[in-house]
Amino acid sequence: PSAMREIMIEVPKVLWSDIGGQQEIKQKLKESVEWPLQHPEAFIRMGIRPPKGILLYGPPGCSKTLMAKALATQAGLNFIAVKGPEDEIDALTVKRGGGDDGGSSVADRVLSQLLNELDGIEPLVNVTVVAATNRPDIMDPALMRPGRIDRILYVSPPDLPSRREILRLQILSKKMACDADVDIEMLAEETEGCSGAEVVALCQEAAMKAMEESLQIEAVARRHFERALKEMTRRITPEMIK
Ligand code: ATP
C-alpha cells in the first residue's frame, strides 16, 4: 500500500481572477506549466526542459494552494492533491537514513517513493509536480535536484496592491452590503503584514460583528472592520519572510 494515504483527485474551480494580486507569481507559474503544454516546440528550439516539479514556498495562508488549483483549472489539468498526515509531511523534510531502523522508516519510504515518481515522469509529458511548504530550508536536497523539483518560487505575503485586490474581491465582487464609510484603501494599508487568508478572515469577522449588533442590520460599517482589525491575530512572523 502507498505510504501516501490521503490522495484526492479533484477538479478545482479556482480561476486566476479569484486570486487577488500576486501577479508576478501567477505569471511565473503560467510560464512553467502552460508554456510547455501550449508551446512545446519553443522549449525544443531553446534546448531546455520544462520544469518537472515546482516548489512553492512562503508563509502560511498566502495562496500557495490556491495557485496550484488555479494552474490546474486554467490549464485544464487534473489536480491530484497528496496530503500526508503530519508525521509523513515531516517525512519529506528530514534527510534519509536518519532513522534508527536502518533506513526503512516511514520517512525514508515516503521520500524514496516520491523520488521514484519524480524520476519516472518523462519530460514534456503533461505531469507537473507542484509542492508547497513553509519550510524549504529543511527539505531533503535530493528532492531539489534538476529533473525533480527544479523550479523554486517564493510566494510572498500580499503587498499593498494585492491586499487591495483581495479586499475588492471580498467586498465588491461578493457584493457584501457595506456602508459608504468603508474605505478599502485604508483597510489595505492597515492589513500590512497580513496573509491573504487573514485579509479574507477580516472581512468575514467584520460582517459577523455587524450581525452581532443586529441581524436586521443593513450593511457592514467601518466600525465593524475597525473592531475586527483590533482583535485580529497576525500569524506571519519576520523569520517566515524572505
Ligand atoms: P498554507 O501554507 O497554510 O497551506 P497556503 O499558502 O497554501 O497556506 P491557501 O490555502 O492558498 O494558502 O490560502 C488560504 C485561504 O486564504 C484561501 O482559501 C483564500 O480564502 C485566502 N487567500 C489567500 N490568499 C488569497 C488571495 N491572494 N486572494 C484571495 N484569497 C486568498
Side-chain angles (χ1 to χ4, degrees):
S2 168
M4 295 179 204
R5 268 180 258 128
E6 207 183 306
I7 294 183
M8 289 168 295
I9 301 183
E10 47 177 302
V11 184
K13 282 187 212 67
V14 178
L15 305 178
W16 289 120
S17 56
D18 293 330
I19 308 177
Q22 310 279 44
Q23 288 306 333
E24 260 178 64
I25 183 84
K26 283 179 187 168
Q27 181 57 29
K28 288 205 164 122
L29 282 169
K30 287 183 201 171
E31 292 170 10
S32 303
V33 178
E34 291 178 7
W35 283 4
L37 291 172
Q38 290 159 6
H39 310 285
E41 72 294 342
F43 283 80
I44 293 164
R45 200 182 324 123
M46 295 298 128
I48 61 162
R49 292 202 310 196
K52 200 197 265 185
I54 302 166
L55 178 69
L56 301 178
Y57 76 97
C62 291
S63 76
K64 296 183 293 298
T65 309
L66 283 182
M67 293 282 172
K69 289 186 171 174
L71 256 183
T73 308
Q74 303 254 238
L77 305 169
N78 290 314
F79 181 80
I80 305 179
V82 182
K83 195 169 193 246
E86 285 308 316
D87 63 334
E88 293 178 4
I89 295 274
D90 291 343
L92 299 178
T93 58
V94 296
K95 298 199 171 50
R96 280 166 304 164
D100 49 17
D101 53 0
S104 62
S105 65
V106 175
D108 288 344
R109 279 183 285 120
V110 173
L111 183 59
S112 298
Q113 186 187 341
L114 189 61
L115 292 175
N116 280 337
E117 304 281 355
L118 281 169
D119 291 341
I121 301 167
E122 295 298 322
L124 289 178
V125 166
N126 304 346
V127 175
T128 307
V129 174
V130 181
T133 182
N134 301 131
R135 296 289 311 272
D137 51 313
I138 53 170
M139 297 238 332
D140 191 298
L143 269 169
M144 318 279 247
R145 283 223 299 268
R148 288 177 178 167
I149 291 184
D150 41 17
R151 195 153 199 217
I152 299 176
L153 301 174
Y154 174 63
V155 184
S156 66
D159 59 7
L160 180 68
S162 295
R163 296 196 303 278
R164 189 185 293 136
E165 210 41 53
I166 298 170
L167 287 161
R168 293 175 68 89
L169 282 170
Q170 292 300 309
I171 294 173
L172 304 179
S173 309
K174 296 197 174 160
K175 300 196 171 70
M176 174 183 275
C178 272
D179 266 6
D181 68 355
V182 173
D183 181 347
I184 288 185
E185 198 50 39
M186 181 211 80
L187 291 172
E189 276 160 27
E190 294 201 353
T191 47
E192 160 104 67
C194 291
S195 67
E198 286 166 344
V199 176
V200 170
L202 172 74
C203 298
Q204 303 247 341
E205 198 48 42
M208 290 305 290
K209 298 234 174 285
M211 282 155 61
E212 279 164 17
E213 233 174 70
S214 158
L215 279 169
Q216 273 73 51
I217 198 161
E218 293 281 341
V220 188
R222 175 194 281 248
R223 64 180 179 283
H224 305 119
F225 277 97
E226 277 168 358
R227 274 179 230 151
L229 264 171
K230 252 189 222 127
E231 289 175 13
M232 176 171 169
T233 47
R234 294 161 194 242
R235 285 177 64 210
I236 300 180
T237 56
E239 58 274 17
M240 294 177 188
I241 298 169
K242 189 178 89 171

